[in-house]
Every structure is written in structure tokens, then in C-alpha cells.
Amino acid sequence: MNELENIMKTCFELNQKSNNLCETTILRHHWYLKSFLKFGSCNGFMRPCQKLYDDFILAGSNGYDAILNRKWVVKLVDEVASTNALDQDGYLLNLPNLYTYEEVTAYFKNFTFPLDDSADNLYLISYTLYNIKNEDTTQSTYGQYKKAYLYIYSWLISHKNFTYDEEVLNSFLKDNQLKFDTGLLKKWVYKIRKRALNILIEVANSGTYHWHIFKSSKIILDEDLQIIIQDYMLSMNNNNMALDTVNLYYYVFKKMMIYLNVKKSDDLLLITENDIEMLCEKVIKDFTQSSLKTIYPIVKKILLYLYNQGYMIKNFSAMIQKPLYLKSFNPSILSKDDELKLIAYLDKISYRDQAIMLLAIRYGLRDSDICNLKFDEIDWYRDQIKITQTKTNVYLTLPLLDDVGNAIFNYLENERPECNTPYIFIRKQKPYQNIKSAYNLCSRIFEKLNITPLNGKGKGTHVFRYSLVKRLLDMGVPYQIITDSLGHVNKDSDKYYYSLDSEKLRSCCLDARWIGIKSWM
């Protein structure tokens, strides 16, 4: 009798002892157990294994009940044989029960943090989930993390890893990244697993966890390259450049070093024309066309600086040519029907999202000004909104419209979590920080309602800014009032918006009959 037959003998006995099942179900299970044994023997399997399980589930009828019964058999055999097999989604067929708080507390009394490689993974996962629950997470959020940890645990067991090992966890992260990059994993699943892994590592290192956002890893260069970059940044500071501009130069400088595969300062002497061509190809790939007109001059200046300072043997800056293209302006605007359809839909979404959308629709506010709106910028007594615009740092006063004020009030009274942040619109989950952008909210609603803006493909809040200008121009509102409503201080900013006034533009057209005729003779 081989190993498979021995295991199946135990399975038959367990099925017969199932007191909580009716006789019909026991007989049906017995038949499927016999089918499994026959299938394994006929296909040359001497012992239970993952391939046998997978092949058996796919064999036979595709009916729901038949597949369910085959899965029941596979799960029982896996439990008896301790094969730690996985289902089609990557979870263990027989997932373990998490340890209780008392068990976890007693276990970790014998450990100090950071943990060594003797700590059991299941105890660590159980302890991490208790830390997450203590942060007052919603039941839904806790459930998502629990599912992510069970998947991570399944992956670890399938790779024969039973105790804590940060290198193995990083291998899981790479595997997760690969599945996401190849389209095998949805973005939200990838993100929750990545965050769950970061929390697990933090608990293993510190013994506790408090909610915070895990920022993407920064570009790290060798010390000698950092000194070169810092010297360049110092020379820029002497030119009285704005902080945002200096930060952009710093970012581009570091990206260039990565693109050129420069590890140390001596590598700069080995740069060739082919390397610069490859640099340009990568820049074009990573940045949009509109961004290139800003990025290319920076690259050119940095290359000239490196040559002048003797870090490069050739002046490669001449190879960098600023791209020339005709900038077209074709703003995305909503039709009146789509705008009415969107406004009617707002009653079906959360109070927070209602308020955000109404601020964009009614005032044409920029995304940054909506996200950074603070309590002290709303004057409830005078019915005014008084903001300092993020982009221009210019003060702007707007009337607080009834529907906007009601939406904000409903959000504050019924939905907004209690916290000390001065910002009105915050995340729905911890950490309670102000939202960074309303683009995703806006684009989701556009897709839900099948709304396609006229004249373009825009899906962000700026669509409402253009749409508002178009409505005001059609109503004959004077340009200066529109300029003041938008909060513009530079008249060059207005010309793009005023190009929406098709009637006025039409009156400026030249008579084609005069083309080619000398008018001064």
C-alpha cells in the first residue's frame, strides 16, 4: 500500500465518523473520495501533492456542485497529508486559526525586539493584526489586512519558511511587484499587501505600530555623488531660486545619475555620446511632452556644470536640444446635460465627495485649493470662502453658496472623523491627513456616468474650471469679473480661458479676400 492509499484510508474513516452530516452527504463524499483515489492511481500519483489536487479539481463535470465536492475532497486530503497545498488564488487550502491575544502575549514574553529569525510567522501575524485592531480600524479595513496576511502566510509556507526572515519577506514583495507589473494583480490588492508587509516588518523591528503613511523609497546615491549634487544646489541657492525650483533641479540631477548608471564620481569621466543618447531616450519615456520643455533645459545646465567643474571630459550639453512643438489649447469642458446629470448623481455619494465636487463645479476651484481648504477659511457668519490660493499665493474671496455650504456642513456633522488637523477634507481612514488630490474621485464619477468631456479627454477637477468659464462667457459676463472669480493675477493666464469665447474670436477673423493684397499702395 503506497502513501496515497494510506492517506485515503484515513480520509474514508474520517468521512464515516462525520456525525454532523446526513447519510446522503456522507455517501456522496465517499463516492468523491473513491473518485480521487482512482484518479490518482490511474495517473501514476504515489502520494498526495499540489499537482494531483489541481488536476483532480479540473477533471470531470464543471457543474457548481461537482466542483464544490471535488474541492472538499482535496481540502480533506491536504489536511490529513499535511501537504500545505494552495488553492487557485494562492491561499492555503487549510488556513490556520490565528492565535488569541493571550497566546500571543505569552509567546512574545520570551522575545525582545527587533525579532530574530526564531520568531514564528503565525504568532507575528496574529500580533500584528492585534496592533492594527487597536488603532480603531473599521471592520472592513481589518478584514482586508487579515486577508492580506493570510495570503502572505500562505506564500511563506509554500516557500518552506516558518519563522521571521526579512529577506524572505522582501522576496515576497518582489514577487508581488512582478505580478502587478505583468497585470496579474489588481492595484488595490497590490497596495494592501505591500502595506501589510511594511507593517509586519515594523512590528517585528519595534514591537508596535501606529498609523502612518509609508512613503516610497527615495533615490539614494553614494556619498561623493551627494557632495557634487549638494555643491550644485548651493550654487543655485545663490541665484535666489524658489524652493520648488531648487527641489526640481535636485530631483532631475539624481534621476540623471540613475539613468546614466553612475555609481561614483569617477564614473562621470567615462560617459560617452551613446550614454547621453540613452539618457535622452529614458527622459522622453518617463516624462510627458509638456514636462520635457522644463526638464531638458535642466539636464542641459547640469551637464554644462559637470563639464565646467571637471567631472566630465566632454561638454555634452550641446547634445541636449529643447523639443520644439506647437502647443495647442483645446480645453475639456462638460456639456450642460452632462453637468446636470453629474449634479443629480451627487446625492448618491458620500457627504465629503459631494462637497468636493460642488466646490469644483460651482467655483471652478483648483484641485490644490479644494484639498487644502481649512476651517478658518470659511466664514459661516458672512457666508464667504476666503482662501489663499496654493498656486499663486493670492488671496481670493468667494460667496458661500447654499448647496456648497450645506454639503460641507453635512460632512462635518455626520461623516468627518474627529481629529486635530486644520484641513476640512481628510482621509476616511487613519492616518487622518488632508487628501492630496480629487482627481481619482472625479475620474471615477466620469466613468460611472459615462461622461466624456467635449474637446478633450480631461477627467480631473480642471474640467469644471473650464466649463464654468464657458458658461460665464456664454452669459456675457465681463472678462474682469471672470478673471477675479478664477483668482488670476497674470493676464497671460486668462487668454487660454478666453479662447473659449468662440463668438468674440469669430469677430476677430480676417477676411480671406484681403490675403495677398497690398493695402498700402
Side-chain angles (χ1 to χ4, degrees):
M1 186 177 290
N2 59 36
E3 185 177 342
L4 176 61
E5 292 170 337
N6 277 326
I7 295 293
M8 293 308 300
K9 180 180 178 182
T10 304
C11 291
F12 282 119
E13 293 173 354
L14 290 173
N15 182 48
Q16 288 297 127
K17 296 176 181 178
S18 302
N19 297 325
N20 59 333
L21 298 176
C22 67
E23 186 176 352
T24 304
T25 302
I26 293 174
L27 289 174
R28 183 171 67 252
H29 286 170
H30 183 83
W31 186 87
Y32 275 98
L33 286 168
K34 286 178 61 178
S35 299
F36 179 85
L37 178 58
K38 182 179 180 181
F39 179 87
S41 300
C42 291
N43 287 278
F45 290 97
M46 304 297 290
R47 62 180 61 84
C49 62
Q50 182 76 57
K51 180 169 175 50
L52 172 56
Y53 302 149
D54 294 341
D55 291 350
F56 177 70
I57 289 175
L58 295 175
S61 171
N62 290 327
Y64 176 78
D65 289 339
I67 294 176
L68 203 62
N69 281 293
R70 290 200 293 271
K71 287 183 176 180
W72 177 88
V73 169
V74 165
K75 188 174 181 180
L76 178 61
V77 175
D78 172 70
E79 182 180 4
V80 173
S82 299
T83 45
N84 291 324
L86 305 177
D87 64 15
Q88 60 185 5
D89 297 319
Y91 293 88
L92 287 171
L93 288 172
N94 290 279
L95 287 167
N97 293 321
L98 296 171
Y99 292 109
T100 65
Y101 180 75
E102 291 74 18
E103 290 173 327
V104 168
T105 304
Y107 178 79
F108 280 111
K109 280 183 177 179
N110 302 319
F111 289 87
T112 57
F113 294 92
L115 295 176
D116 56 27
D117 58 4
S118 64
D120 180 82
N121 283 328
L122 189 57
Y123 272 105
L124 177 58
I125 286 173
S126 301
Y127 181 54
T128 302
L129 282 169
Y130 282 114
N131 273 270
I132 292 175
K133 183 178 286 187
N134 288 338
E135 289 295 314
D136 296 327
T137 55
T138 63
Q139 187 175 356
S140 173
T141 301
Y142 176 79
Q144 290 178 3
Y145 278 106
K146 181 178 179 181
K147 188 173 183 180
Y149 282 124
L150 289 175
Y151 181 87
I152 293 172
Y153 182 76
S154 299
W155 188 92
L156 292 171
I157 294 300
S158 68
H159 287 74
K160 311 299 182 187
N161 187 271
F162 303 95
T163 57
Y164 177 71
D165 188 329
E166 190 169 336
E167 288 187 10
V168 175
L169 290 177
N170 287 326
S171 297
F172 166 81
L173 193 60
K174 292 178 182 178
D175 181 71
N176 205 43
Q177 180 74 53
L178 180 62
K179 289 180 179 178
F180 173 67
D181 292 340
T182 54
L184 298 177
L185 201 62
K186 292 182 179 179
K187 186 176 182 178
W188 73 269
V189 178
Y190 161 75
K191 290 176 68 175
I192 194 70
R193 289 178 183 173
K194 181 179 179 181
R195 181 172 176 81
L197 193 71
N198 285 331
I199 295 174
L200 189 72
I201 292 173
E202 183 168 322
V203 171
N205 288 329
S206 66
T208 186
Y209 173 72
H210 297 292
W211 283 107
H212 64 87
I213 294 177
F214 289 95
K215 296 183 178 180
S216 301
S217 57
K218 297 180 179 180
I219 302 172
I220 301 176
L221 300 175
D222 288 345
E223 185 176 352
D224 56 345
L225 284 177
Q226 288 283 11
I227 294 173
I228 294 174
I229 296 176
Q230 288 170 5
D231 289 342
Y232 181 64
M233 293 301 109
L234 184 61
S235 68
M236 289 186 60
N237 288 329
N238 294 332
N239 294 330
N240 295 321
M241 288 188 173
L243 180 60
D244 287 346
T245 304
V246 174
N247 289 336
L248 177 60
Y249 274 72
Y250 184 61
Y251 171 77
V252 173
F253 204 137
K254 291 199 296 183
K255 289 288 286 187
M256 285 176 61
M257 297 301 101
I258 299 297
Y259 289 152
L260 292 169
N261 197 29
V262 174
K263 304 295 184 183
K264 54 187 183 297
S265 58
D266 291 344
D267 293 341
L268 292 169
L269 297 171
L270 305 177
I271 298 297
T272 65
E273 287 83 356
N274 290 335
D275 295 322
I276 302 300
E277 290 179 2
M278 180 187 67
L279 167 67
C280 293
E281 291 175 1
K282 291 183 177 179
V283 169
I284 291 172
K285 181 180 178 182
D286 284 359
F287 294 94
T288 64
Q289 189 181 54
S290 59
S291 297
L292 289 176
K293 67 177 183 178
T294 303
I295 299 299
Y296 264 130
I298 297 175
V299 173
K300 190 179 183 76
K301 291 178 182 178
I302 291 173
L303 290 174
L304 181 60
Y305 172 82
L306 292 172
Y307 171 72
N308 289 336
Q309 297 297 317
Y311 295 114
M312 284 185 169
I313 59 175
K314 290 185 179 180
N315 182 9
F316 295 111
S317 63
M319 294 181 63
I320 308 298
Q321 299 297 320
K322 183 178 178 179
L324 296 176
Y325 61 92
L326 181 62
K327 182 179 179 180
S328 61
F329 183 72
N330 197 21
S332 302
I333 59 176
L334 289 184
S335 68
K336 190 63 178 177
D337 290 341
D338 281 342
E339 187 172 306
L340 292 173
K341 180 169 64 173
L342 191 150
I343 292 173
Y345 176 73
L346 296 184
D347 290 335
K348 300 179 181 179
I349 61 179
S350 67
Y351 289 132
R352 186 197 72 174
D353 295 347
Q354 281 183 36
I356 290 172
M357 295 300 293
L358 283 172
L359 284 166
I361 295 169
R362 299 303 191 205
Y363 304 110
L365 286 176
R366 298 184 185 92
D367 189 304
S368 57
D369 293 329
I370 296 174
C371 296
N372 292 320
L373 186 64
K374 298 179 181 178
F375 285 101
D376 59 6
E377 293 176 331
I378 297 183
D379 189 337
W380 295 98
Y381 294 101
R382 294 182 175 86
D383 291 335
Q384 291 179 334
I385 297 177
K386 303 175 181 180
I387 64 171
T388 300
Q389 299 173 93
T390 304
K391 181 178 180 180
T392 61
N393 203 34
V394 172
Y395 193 71
L396 176 65
T397 301
L398 297 167
L400 180 60
L401 302 177
D402 291 344
D403 56 351
V404 177
N406 290 337
I408 295 175
F409 184 80
N410 285 333
Y411 167 60
L412 298 178
E413 283 291 304
N414 304 305
E415 198 175 86
R416 187 180 185 274
E418 293 184 9
C419 59
N420 295 323
T421 179
Y423 298 101
I424 291 178
F425 301 113
I426 60 175
R427 290 160 42 92
K428 295 180 180 179
Q429 300 172 338
K430 289 185 178 181
Y432 295 132
Q433 300 176 349
N434 66 308
I435 60 173
K436 304 305 180 185
S437 174
Y439 178 85
N440 288 336
L441 164 64
C442 189
S443 62
R444 283 199 306 269
I445 293 177
F446 278 23
E447 292 175 6
K448 176 76 174 179
L449 301 180
N450 196 27
I451 291 176
T452 302
L454 304 174
N455 304 332
K457 300 179 180 179
K459 292 183 179 180
T461 55
H462 229 70
V463 173
F464 301 112
R465 194 169 174 85
Y466 292 130
S467 300
L468 176 64
V469 173
K470 177 63 175 173
R471 305 278 184 268
L472 295 176
L473 289 170
D474 290 345
M475 293 167 61
V477 176
Y479 287 170
Q480 189 58 49
I481 293 178
I482 297 176
T483 295
D484 293 342
S485 300
L486 295 176
H488 283 167
V489 292
N490 189 337
K491 292 187 180 298
D492 288 339
S493 302
D494 293 332
K495 61 186 180 182
Y496 297 111
Y497 291 86
Y498 294 159
S499 67
L500 293 165
D501 194 347
S502 54
E503 293 300 321
K504 292 287 179 64
L505 288 175
R506 201 171 286 122
S507 67
C508 296
C509 293
L510 295 174
D511 191 331
R513 292 174 298 173
W514 289 97
I515 297 176
I517 298 176
K518 296 179 180 179
S519 59
W520 60 88
M521 293 181 65

